[in-house]
Amino acid sequence: MAVSEQGLVTAQQLDTLSINTIRTLAIDAVQQANSGHPGAPMALAPVAYCLWQQFLRYDPADPTWLNRDRFVLSNGHASMLLYAMLHLAEVRDVDENDQVLKQLAVPMEEIKRFRQLGSRTPGHPESHITSGIETTTGPLGQGVGNSVGMAIASKWLAANFNRPGFEIFDYDIYAMCSDGDLMEGVGGEAASLAGHLKLSNLCWIYDHNSITLDGPADWSFSEDVVTRFIGYGWNVTRVGDANDLEMLARAFEVFRKTKDRPTLIVVDSHIGYGSPHKQDSNAAHGEPLGEDEVRLVKKFYGWPEDEKFLVPDGVREHFREGIGKRGRNLRADWAKLFEGYRKQFPELADRLHRMQRRELPDGWNKNLPTFPADAKGVATRDSGGKVLNALAQNIPWLIGGSADLATSNKTTLKFEGAGDFQAGNYAGRNLHFGVREHGMGAAVNGIVVSGVRAFGATFFNFSDYMRASIRLAALMEVPSIFVFTHDSIGLGEDGPTHQPIEQLASLRAMPNLIVLRPGDANEVVEAWKIIAQLQAQPAALVLTRQAMPTFDRGKYAPASGVAKGAYVFADAPGGKPDVILMGTGSELSLCVEAYEKLKTEGVKARVVSMPSWELFERQDAAYKESVLPASVTARVSVEMAATLGWDRYVGPKGRKIGMSRFGASAPLKDLLKFFGFTADAVVTEAHKAISENR
Ligand SMILES: Cc1ncc(C[n+]2csc(CCOP(=O)(O)OP(=O)(O)O)c2C)c(N)n1
Ligand SMILES: [Mg+2]
């Protein structure tokens, strides 16, 4: 009970008052921004209210608490719902060093600045901008995909860190989702994987409102979702009215009691609940209600029609008494438990501390292999697998897997105790994503935002299938690792359906993604070292299927140059080349071969190995000039991929050897000859470049 201006109010009235506060905050913020989706928050306010106020084990005073339940708003267009919840629950802000601040994550000023430049309330929830947001959502299907990774992480953490008497991890994941999330392929992949893994800590709440942007959902969506999810192995329950708090509570209880499967709660709702135009138009959907309708809706809610951004007396107190108090008590109990745990298992506690801060364990880079010079050499997928196995033994929280290509990607963790993550063994470190690249990408991001370091692997060509997830990792500033093998036409007989062409260029165009295409086995070691240390950037490691030489690093520059993205691998006498040959990955060896030939002809060449454009771009101008002197304009790039972007390095007078069409199905040696990837071709282009630059 609380006292308001109207006098004593009942618990039920307080529920209604709180729910309508959520609704009207969303309405007012969208109206003020003159853009956004008010309808879904209006409809889902009771659902979020019931979940947060009664069930979510979350302490608003510490949004970094390790064992907090996670809430994901996969229908990110309903962002105002989340901002209103964060505001009313008084979730605190957290700084870059994970220190909890006094100020709120979403103060009222920020709600009033919804969708404005530099606000903490962007159009869709962005986890790197606003504390309390577990993952960035908006592209439909990604949030539910992330939630599966979060549930994997929770199970994995419990299996690896809990000890008898110390159940320090038992948190649940709740993801709210819409028709769009369930129509998207990635949502289906994620649900299928979650059902297979029997992730009983995962609960999706489906806003079954029978409407999408274009019109009634049944214009495009008529399958039996319940039966589909039962088929996936989920527990499915239904709430016939989103306003029925009792039924909602019962559904959440069913979820909590279900110990062998994930749970889908189908909630029937009316978008823009309270709006006179609900269901029949875009009103209350992808656009503000308009001032007139705002008044009508507020009247319907029994709200003062002229008040904006009103939080009535008693509402904040009510949230403090609900989620606030429950969360505080739960976290206090947990903190006591963890104190004992820390004393008994200091090493495990230290691991958790480092994981949360995205730091590495001491000795993380010990026993990494070095590869002796070898003309025949080794495929970088093979050297990559060896380095990964060495690293993973040093970094106990590095886990991952492939989309059913582990034997091809060479990403299996083979050392003793690595194990397989399956329903019967959540301690395992080898994940089996199945043929679900997009679901894998989203799950990897979900694992990584949970503090566990994860990688996902597939053929490079299929990076396209998971591009949306790679992009979100980059946007979220999280260090997901994507391992891509079979990186060019060099994969041979599988042919053009499997041979990447434009993938390098397209991934290099993505902000905040580090692309690495190492040029021999020792560059692979350096590449993995860089990846391990990333804290706020995802990486794409691009590796070959075919063998390539391991260079004599006594003769050529050390592979440590990889850290700078590009480095002088072999130079002309006196460091004054007539021509610069630059290549990445398997084409580095073509440059080196051409360099040696040119040398016998008396032509002074320099070879630049260029495994990562992004890292090179981070270097200062002096370093860049030392690698690519402006005075040397005769330049040749060699890469078995689209040449888009190489102009930046070869300049207007340079030459590019690359792919300008799709590949072909044939043995490697025939392809190399047919497409002109030979040392002789590089020599010819070098001569042309020199003569054109005289
Ligand atoms: C991948 C992706 N495609 C398209 C959109 C644009 N979009 C935003 S909401 C929406 C659909 C809305 O329908 P529904 O998912 O049922 O959500 P509701 O409007 O019912 O809340 C679409 C297509 C998007 N956000 N993500
Ligand atoms: Mg819908």
Side-chain angles (χ1 to χ4, degrees), residues 37 40 75 77 124 138-140 178-181 184 207 209 211-213 271 285:
H37 298 244
N75 44 342
H77 57 274
H124 296 84
L140 290 164
S178 63
D179 297 300
D181 286 295
E184 290 290 353
D207 176 22
N209 62 7
I211 192 164
T212 65
L213 281 190
I271 195 157
H285 209 166

Side-chain angles (χ1 to χ4, degrees), residues 508-632:
R508 283 170 181 154
M510 192 181 283
N512 201 42
L513 173 71
I514 306 288
V515 182
L516 287 140
R517 187 171 185 250
D520 80 343
N522 291 306
E523 284 200 6
V524 171
V525 180
E526 298 303 318
W528 261 118
K529 276 161 62 177
I530 291 157
I531 292 168
Q533 295 174 85
L534 293 175
Q535 292 181 310
Q537 282 148 325
L541 181 62
V542 181
L543 305 172
T544 64
R545 169 180 187 256
Q546 74 277 21
M548 45 200 262
T550 305
F551 296 107
D552 178 353
R553 296 287 172 165
K555 186 169 171 193
Y556 301 114
S560 54
V562 173
K564 295 199 159 165
Y567 63 102
V568 178
F569 180 89
D571 209 0
K576 294 239 176 297
D578 294 328
V579 62
I580 298 174
L581 312 176
M582 49 189 117
T584 78
S586 45
E587 289 68 74
L588 176 60
S589 71
L590 289 181
C591 295
V592 175
E593 226 183 295
Y595 165 91
E596 297 295 351
K597 285 192 180 187
L598 288 166
K599 199 156 138 188
T600 62
E601 294 175 14
V603 176
K604 293 192 283 180
R606 165 183 289 187
V607 175
V608 172
S609 176
M610 211 155 190
S612 175
W613 290 13
E614 297 80 14
L615 295 180
F616 185 58
E617 286 306 319
R618 280 191 197 169
Q619 309 308 317
D620 61 26
Y623 179 76
K624 287 190 197 167
E625 169 67 17
S626 76
V627 177
L628 299 175
S631 59
V632 185

